[in-house]
Amino acid sequence: MRNHFEGQPPLEDPHRPQYHFLPPANWMNDPNGLIQWKNQFHLFYQYNPYGAFHGSIHWGHAVSTDLVHWRHLPVALAPTPDGPDKDGCWSGCAIDHNGVPTIFYTGVSPQVQCTATSSDDLLTWQKRLQPVIAAPPPDIREHAGGDLRDPFVWRQDGLWYMLLTSKIEGGGGLVLLYRSADTINWEYLHPLISGDVNQRDPFWTGTIWECPNLIDFGDKQVILVSLQGTPNTFLYVCYFTGEFRQESFTTHSRHILVPTNIFYAPQVMRLDDGRVILFSWILEDRTARSALQAGWSGMMSLPLECSLLEAGKLGLAPVRELQSLRKNHSRFVNLQPNGSFLLLQGQALEILARFEPAPGSAFGLKVRCSPDGQEQTLIICRENQVIIDSERSSLNTDVNRRITSLPVEIEGRINLHIFLDHSILEVFVNDQSYLVSRIYPSRPDSLGIGVFAEGSVNIPQLDVWVLDSIWE
Ligand code: DQQ
């Protein structure tokens, strides 16, 4: 197998992030097997060591002591020729099974659920030769088209439970529930949640579901699923809030987690200190050819802290450990932009800005601006929406440009907390809601950061930090 440290993309690649996790080269997609083990955080991920395209999926592996700085470790799982995972080791999770690190993942093809254990603190893995779930349950076998994957396992009331995702052909997505006393013998119980059949429903939940997660918030539970729709392919992440009781789930409400199709297949882990941390795969938003040329594709979101807000929605906020990356600091006070102006330059920055707008004003920040404004990306607040407008982000035609928007209440004040890292822009609104976009400016001088307003806005304080790299 080719070592993934070969073929490093050139360091001067202007689009490669420096404080987001990604492998040294090649393709990555979903986070897998997130686990805190002996005071270290382990991040596994879907990885192709042979190039910047999805294929021959392995589990890459990295470790961190603070969720922010990562060290690459050798590939953890590779397909075994003639094994049940010969065509790929697809997504899954990690648990502590009576002191033994244990992972569950999907072997292809056909899609079966496999397990492996480690006796050297997660470095190497011994696979169980036979899958623990070798086929879809009889009641959905004919309708699932072979799709059954992405085990999510947790312990409750002295038993192990597993969620898997699937679909009903012509129906919609499915989350299936299994139970086990020993993690080897799994009993299928029933579908836990199923999707919509009506493709005209404005909240149509797609043709197939993937990567289920259950988050336990005590008296409420949240189930996350990643949705895909064909033929009008879309990807997004949806969550159901409700109650998991007596092996059934009662849905109270359902929501889209992040309104974009470049944030997909997130996974959560509960830390020993009680926080729920989420990482998500952030897709490229440029042609497959550009990614192949760059030699890398995909990255992880920042580590996000997940909470259940009073309104019953999931909140996403940057973890406090990110503050350790802060270097040079600039502070601007009492800015009152009338029109627009640039403040400074940078491409690996954290920006924290408080706005106090008059009713009806449109205002915000702009990043990656060329001096003549030919390239620029806007973060606009207007009419109770926060919008990332990347329509003018790049002159390169191999790059997608889009409008991404999030509804928010702007009642006299709003905080924007922005993380810009070369080709990724993440925006937290009031440190609760999250928006993300990919931008690939083509001009080396597209580095300007500024503010703008139409109408009247006061910015009592705007802080900017240059952020350090997460690599040693
Ligand atoms: N990615 C994995 C699958 C999962 C999909 C394959 C979601 O296990 O369903 O790389 O991105």
Side-chain angles (χ1 to χ4, degrees):
M1 192 205 354
R2 220 174 93 190
N3 184 313
H4 72 174
F5 294 91
E6 286 171 30
Q8 282 254 23
L11 286 175
E12 64 275 14
D13 181 339
H15 302 310
R16 233 177 121 75
Q18 67 175 49
Y19 65 84
H20 285 75
F21 176 85
L22 75 176
N26 304 320
W27 167 275
M28 62 145 272
N29 55 298
D30 319 348
N32 293 151
L34 289 176
I35 191 167
Q36 184 171 6
W37 188 268
K38 296 190 180 164
N39 293 323
Q40 291 195 312
F41 304 104
H42 289 261
L43 167 63
F44 301 87
Y45 56 92
Q46 296 278 282
Y47 174 62
N48 179 4
Y50 303 113
F53 58 95
H54 187 271
S56 184
I57 289 294
H58 294 51
W59 275 35
H61 186 192
V63 71
S64 169
T65 51
D66 64 359
L67 298 164
V68 172
H69 297 86
W70 293 94
R71 186 161 53 85
H72 293 294
L73 292 175
V75 161
L77 284 183
T80 300
D82 304 325
D85 59 9
K86 62 183 184 314
D87 293 328
C89 302
W90 284 17
S91 287
C93 63
I95 58 161
D96 175 350
H97 182 211
N98 299 331
V100 180
T102 304
I103 55 182
F104 298 89
Y105 66 100
T106 300
V108 285
S109 22
Q111 293 178 22
V112 293
Q113 313 318 315
C114 301
T115 188
T117 54
S118 172
S119 52
D120 58 3
D121 288 335
L122 294 78
L123 262 185
T124 59
W125 294 86
Q126 291 72 52
K127 294 179 184 172
R128 188 176 191 274
L129 291 180
Q130 297 306 319
V132 288
I133 298 175
D139 60 336
I140 70 146
R141 189 168 302 165
E142 285 168 33
H143 313 286
D147 288 303
L148 182 70
R149 57 178 174 269
D150 307 338
F152 178 87
V153 176
W154 78 101
R155 187 156 180 85
Q156 188 168 331
D157 305 329
L159 287 168
W160 294 99
Y161 287 94
M162 180 190 287
L163 301 180
L164 289 174
T165 36
S166 183
K167 67 161 192 255
I168 297 282
E169 300 268 21
L174 279 181
V175 176
L176 304 180
L177 180 66
Y178 288 71
R179 149 180 97 185
S180 171
D182 58 9
T183 73
I184 300 296
N185 298 291
W186 290 92
E187 177 191 357
Y188 169 60
L189 295 175
H190 40 247
L192 202 59
I193 315 183
S194 26
D196 302 327
V197 184
N198 181 2
Q199 301 199 3
R200 268 180 288 227
D201 184 329
F203 203 142
W204 179 52
T205 53
T207 46
I208 184 162
W209 291 1
E210 302 180 308
C211 300
N213 284 247
L214 182 136
I215 316 176
D216 185 8
F217 288 107
D219 54 354
K220 295 247 171 56
Q221 286 67 44
V222 170
I223 292 181
L224 283 181
V225 278
S226 294
L227 318 179
Q228 247 187 63
T230 45
N232 307 321
T233 301
F234 64 77
L235 299 174
Y236 66 90
V237 180
C238 164
Y239 63 95
F240 299 81
T241 64
E243 288 173 47
F244 180 74
R245 302 273 179 275
Q246 276 126 26
E247 301 175 339
S248 292
F249 187 76
T250 309
T251 299
H252 295 167
S253 61
R254 62 180 189 180
H255 310 271
I256 293 173
L257 185 61
V258 181
T260 173
N261 58 10
I262 58 151
F263 176 103
Y264 197 68
Q267 190 170 94
V268 296
M269 78 173 137
R270 170 133 351 233
L271 306 191
D272 294 347
D273 67 13
R275 286 180 294 165
V276 177
I277 303 301
L278 177 150
F279 282 93
S280 180
W281 170 31
I282 303 291
L283 285 78
E284 295 303 312
D285 210 3
R286 51 181 170 173
T287 59
R289 187 186 61 184
S290 322
L292 283 176
Q293 277 166 359
W296 60 279
S297 176
M299 69 176 83
M300 288 301 164
S301 66
L302 289 176
L304 305 177
E305 184 174 347
C306 221
S307 59
L308 193 59
L309 305 174
E310 267 176 30
K313 288 191 162 189
L314 273 187
L316 293 176
V319 297
R320 56 176 180 261
E321 286 84 346
L322 286 162
Q323 292 175 15
S324 68
L325 296 174
R326 290 175 177 175
K327 290 197 297 186
N328 304 354
H329 177 218
S330 316
R331 173 165 288 172
F332 303 86
V333 291
N334 291 325
L335 299 173
Q336 274 147 7
N338 184 4
S340 96
F341 55 85
L342 296 181
L343 298 167
L344 75 172
Q345 295 203 327
Q347 54 188 336
L349 301 176
E350 176 185 356
I351 306 167
L352 193 52
R354 203 163 85 228
F355 296 86
E356 293 170 351
S361 307
F363 57 93
L365 282 147
K366 42 195 202 171
V367 300
R368 302 298 313 260
C369 304
S370 58
D372 60 3
Q374 207 183 23
E375 288 187 332
Q376 55 178 304
T377 298
L378 305 177
I379 302 142
I380 311 166
C381 304
R382 90 169 159 235
E383 291 163 5
N384 285 334
Q385 288 198 86
V386 175
I387 298 162
I388 300 181
D389 176 354
S390 69
E391 299 275 18
R392 283 182 287 161
S393 59
S394 180
L395 297 171
N396 182 350
T397 50
D398 276 351
V399 162
N400 295 329
R401 283 149 292 205
R402 53 179 90 240
I403 303 278
T404 309
S405 66
L406 182 76
V408 266
E409 299 267 308
I410 307 175
E411 277 169 2
R413 57 185 298 164
I414 184 166
N415 286 0
L416 296 183
H417 195 170
I418 293 166
F419 290 84
L420 170 67
D421 190 6
H422 296 255
S423 62
I424 178 168
L425 174 64
E426 285 162 297
V427 177
F428 297 87
V429 181
N430 297 331
D431 273 341
Q432 286 189 341
S433 330
Y434 169 86
L435 264 180
V436 57
S437 190
R438 299 296 306 272
I439 49 174
Y440 307 88
S442 66
R443 290 176 46 163
D445 61 352
S446 291
L447 294 170
I449 307 288
V451 288
F452 65 88
E454 281 168 27
S456 156
V457 69
N458 181 37
I459 309 174
Q461 192 166 310
L462 187 151
D463 289 289
V464 183
W465 292 269
V466 175
L467 294 195
D468 211 348
S469 159
I470 59 171
W471 307 108
E472 287 156 10

